[in-house]
Amino acid sequence: MESIWSRYLNFLTEDLYMSILLPFELLPFIIGVIYWRKFSGTPIIWVILYLGYNFLNELLAAFYFVQTEQANTIFFNIHDLIYFLMIFYVYYKILKSPIFKKVTILLFMSWLLIYIYFLATSDIWISFSLFSLVVGDFLILILVLLNFIEIINYFGFTVIKNDFLIYLGFGLLIYIVIQLPVLVVTLIGWMNLKAENPTLASFFELIRNVGFAVGCLMYSIFAYGFYRAERPQLV
């Protein structure tokens, strides 16, 4: 009888998502740890810690699925809470304008109400928080644009390549704009049509793989940002 660890390793190596995306998820965490001292005492530390948690969460979710053969949705629902807490906190600490800070708080409270509603009305063990994720990603795009505006207004274009928030925002911007519709299509369309229409299912699978590629690009941008950027200038 095949052991749980053997099945787990086979799952990690045979599944396209795990075998390709996981190393890219780990890469920025490693680079961030290497340059930890450069970002020590700044909110960027929370980005590094999140990336480590994100990688570990993927491994734990996969192990749970292999061991129990049940949905591991709960891991990703918890992940969403930690992810958005981290993103909103980092941008709140980085943004300098009092108005932008108030906007950040307002956006976070709006997302939190939606997430709390999901917790109160859904079975978080099997239901995926798709709506709160879509809304949250849209709100993050607003924060990214606000941060870009501040960086240009305060420092101009000359320091863009040295600011990690540019790499963070650019990576998030690319990922959200492309991956968000891919995620919606995958969860709503591909799973429902896979058994009924193999040809259409193959098309949806191709779209999903495009999402994986964009994820790899985003993590690569983060890794390069940790290497290239200078310590953030906080006020």
Side-chain angles (χ1 to χ4, degrees):
M1 183 177 180
E2 191 177 19
S3 68
I4 178 63
W5 292 109
S6 178
R7 289 190 288 121
Y8 180 55
L9 290 176
N10 287 337
F11 179 80
L12 292 180
T13 55
E14 292 176 359
D15 183 83
L16 178 65
Y17 173 75
M18 291 297 178
S19 61
I20 296 180
L21 189 57
L22 271 179
F24 281 91
E25 290 185 347
L26 181 60
L27 176 64
F29 172 67
I30 294 176
I31 303 299
V33 170
I34 292 175
Y35 291 97
W36 180 277
R37 292 184 61 183
K38 179 166 61 174
F39 300 103
S40 179
T42 75
I44 305 304
I45 290 298
W46 292 104
V47 179
I48 300 174
L49 293 175
Y50 160 77
L51 290 169
Y53 155 75
N54 182 60
F55 176 76
L56 180 62
N57 186 65
E58 293 284 0
L59 296 181
L60 292 176
F63 183 80
Y64 177 84
F65 175 77
V66 172
Q67 184 183 40
T68 65
E69 297 183 354
Q70 296 180 4
N72 55 8
T73 314
I74 183 65
F75 289 87
F76 300 102
N77 288 332
I78 296 174
H79 165 272
D80 285 353
L81 176 61
I82 295 175
Y83 166 69
F84 285 110
L85 281 173
M86 182 275 298
I87 288 292
F88 279 105
Y89 173 78
V90 168
Y91 275 101
Y92 176 80
K93 298 295 290 185
I94 289 293
L95 289 171
K96 298 175 175 59
S97 168
I99 296 178
F100 287 177
K101 285 181 177 291
K102 291 178 181 179
V103 171
T104 303
I105 294 175
L106 179 62
L107 295 180
F108 172 70
M109 295 304 297
S110 301
W111 174 84
L112 187 60
L113 288 175
I114 296 174
Y115 186 79
I116 292 175
Y117 178 80
F118 163 75
L119 295 179
T121 59
S122 306
D123 184 348
I124 62 174
W125 287 90
I126 60 175
S127 299
F128 184 70
S129 56
L130 179 61
F131 182 67
S132 64
L133 177 62
V134 171
V135 173
D137 279 344
F138 176 76
L139 298 180
I140 286 176
L141 290 180
I142 297 177
L143 293 181
V144 169
L145 294 178
L146 292 179
N147 181 244
F148 284 172
I149 292 172
E150 273 206 344
I151 291 175
I152 294 174
N153 286 340
Y154 273 85
F155 307 110
F157 292 94
T158 57
V159 299
I160 284 181
K161 63 182 180 180
N162 299 324
D163 194 319
F164 176 77
L165 268 295
I166 289 293
Y167 297 98
L168 177 66
F170 186 57
L172 289 172
L173 186 64
I174 293 176
Y175 182 77
I176 292 174
V177 169
I178 299 178
Q179 173 65 8
L180 196 57
V182 168
L183 178 64
V184 174
V185 168
T186 301
L187 289 179
I188 296 178
W190 179 56
M191 292 182 178
N192 294 330
L193 296 173
K194 185 175 181 181
E196 301 176 6
N197 192 328
T199 302
L200 192 57
S202 299
F203 173 72
F204 282 132
E205 188 170 0
L206 176 62
I207 295 177
R208 184 192 64 169
N209 293 341
V210 171
F212 293 162
V214 174
C216 294
L217 176 60
M218 177 187 69
Y219 289 117
S220 299
I221 292 173
F222 291 169
Y224 181 74
F226 286 129
Y227 160 74
R228 184 67 179 83
E230 297 177 355
R231 181 182 177 86
Q233 301 181 33
L234 303 177
V235 293

